[in-house]
Amino acid sequence: MNLLHKGLYIKRLLKQLDIKEFRLNDKNDPLYVGFGKNTLVNLLKLEEFEKESDKAKAKAILDTIGGKEEDYQFVFPSETRSNAKDIGITVDSDGDSDIFEISPGYYLLTTELVPVHAQAGYLAGYQDQEFIETLPKFRTTVDRFARGKYRHFEASGDSMDNGNIREAIPDGAILMCREIKREHWNSKLHTHRWPNYVFVHRTEGIVVKQIAHQDVKNGVLVLRSLNENKEKYPDFEVNLDDMLEIYNVVKRIIE
């Protein structure tokens, strides 16, 4: 195995995992790594990854396909998996997430994922770092970012599914979210660019909704669902005093 050069090693690893190379270049595929076909073809021809940009791309592939310790050790013999994330241009996100550039204008974002089965525990443990460390990691590519704390949440149910492929949030969708800091809650929450929110509420739990109305003076939000069945999903009020966290939904990942 050690007779293989680095690019060929990754190429054979993809074959062993039955992962077609084109999936890594498809922007609509969960395995998209942030760069095109020609870049991937040239990368897999390299005997050694000497440029930092090539190292970052190789790491993005291994991260995306779930590379094992021995894969990282072969491709990055002077690195360990624990510090391999430092390859590339790391961006300070002011939070727990890891953002670094994998190609010009494309970034790989790694954050904790709060799946449906962990959401009840998240209400009690969202400030407990030991609990947060038990959550799975989720990676996605972005072409822009803002500083702050990012987190992924799994959507549940059909309250935000109106059948419109451009805006619906169906059951099982993964939502990339950026936290809105508490000091901004008393101001008007902007809904024109990011209309969907994840609210972590003391009694309602974790809900994905839009804001129908905001009473800034009294700290009250009226939340609405996208689903047009208002008998099943009526608008309802929540008080900001009962809110634990608020996130903008900045990206939907739908398989």
Side-chain angles (χ1 to χ4, degrees):
M1 191 66 123
N2 289 333
L3 296 177
L4 297 177
H5 64 64
K6 303 295 178 62
L8 186 55
Y9 181 93
I10 293 178
K11 189 178 182 73
R12 291 197 177 184
L13 182 60
L14 290 170
K15 185 175 182 180
Q16 290 172 7
L17 296 174
D18 195 27
I19 297 175
K20 304 300 183 184
E21 291 180 18
F22 72 84
R23 295 190 61 189
L24 303 180
N25 309 131
D26 184 349
K27 292 182 179 181
N28 297 315
D29 196 292
L31 294 182
Y32 178 58
V33 292
F35 47 85
K37 178 181 177 181
N38 290 339
T39 300
L40 178 63
V41 170
N42 291 330
L43 185 74
L44 298 183
K45 292 178 179 178
L46 296 177
E47 295 185 7
E48 184 63 63
F49 301 129
E50 298 179 352
K51 297 179 180 179
E52 292 301 311
S53 59
D54 290 334
K55 290 180 181 179
K57 294 182 181 71
K59 180 187 178 296
I61 294 173
L62 293 181
D63 285 349
T64 299
I65 66 177
K68 296 181 179 180
E69 185 71 30
E70 56 265 31
D71 302 321
Y72 286 86
Q73 289 178 351
F74 181 89
V75 177
F76 309 110
S78 61
E79 306 282 348
T80 63
R81 187 169 184 179
S82 62
N83 66 17
K85 69 180 182 181
D86 294 328
I87 297 171
I89 303 174
T90 302
V91 180
D92 180 9
S93 62
D94 297 333
D96 300 327
S97 52
D98 173 26
I99 304 174
F100 66 92
E101 188 174 36
I102 55 176
S103 64
Y106 282 97
Y107 306 85
L108 185 69
L109 171 68
T110 303
T111 80
E112 294 81 9
L113 167 66
V114 184
V116 172
H117 67 79
Q119 291 184 2
Y122 185 82
L123 292 178
Y126 75 101
Q127 289 183 317
D128 183 349
Q129 189 57 36
E130 290 188 4
F131 171 79
I132 296 301
E133 290 176 355
T134 69
L135 295 173
K137 297 288 188 179
F138 191 89
R139 298 178 177 89
T140 188
T141 54
V142 293
D143 58 6
R144 63 178 64 88
F145 65 91
R147 297 184 185 278
K149 184 175 81 174
Y150 289 81
R151 191 151 285 165
H152 286 85
F153 291 86
E154 182 183 10
S156 177
D158 64 351
S159 69
M160 291 295 286
D161 192 349
N162 62 354
N164 187 326
I165 192 171
R166 292 187 175 182
E167 60 182 11
I169 299 177
D171 182 56
I174 303 298
L175 306 177
M176 188 187 89
C177 304
R178 180 173 178 264
E179 184 185 31
I180 301 174
K181 293 184 178 181
R182 186 175 293 269
E183 56 261 36
H184 299 308
W185 295 2
N186 293 326
S187 303
K188 190 75 172 179
L189 296 175
H190 301 290
T191 60
H192 60 284
R193 185 174 184 185
W194 314 116
N196 302 314
Y197 293 79
V198 169
F199 297 97
V200 182
H201 191 272
R202 295 183 191 279
T203 58
E204 298 291 337
I206 298 177
V207 295
V208 185
K209 299 295 175 189
Q210 293 189 344
I211 297 176
H213 178 71
Q214 180 177 359
D215 183 343
V216 175
K217 181 179 179 180
N218 296 304
V220 175
L221 299 177
V222 177
L223 305 185
R224 68 182 172 205
S225 301
L226 278 175
N227 193 307
E228 296 178 357
N229 186 344
K230 296 308 175 183
E231 290 187 7
K232 185 177 181 180
Y233 300 113
D235 295 356
F236 62 96
E237 290 187 354
V238 293
N239 196 301
L240 287 175
D241 288 341
D242 296 321
M243 206 69 70
L244 302 176
E245 293 182 308
I246 302 177
Y247 292 83
N248 281 128
V249 177
V250 298
K251 182 179 180 180
R252 303 171 303 154
I253 298 97
I254 303 172
E255 296 187 4

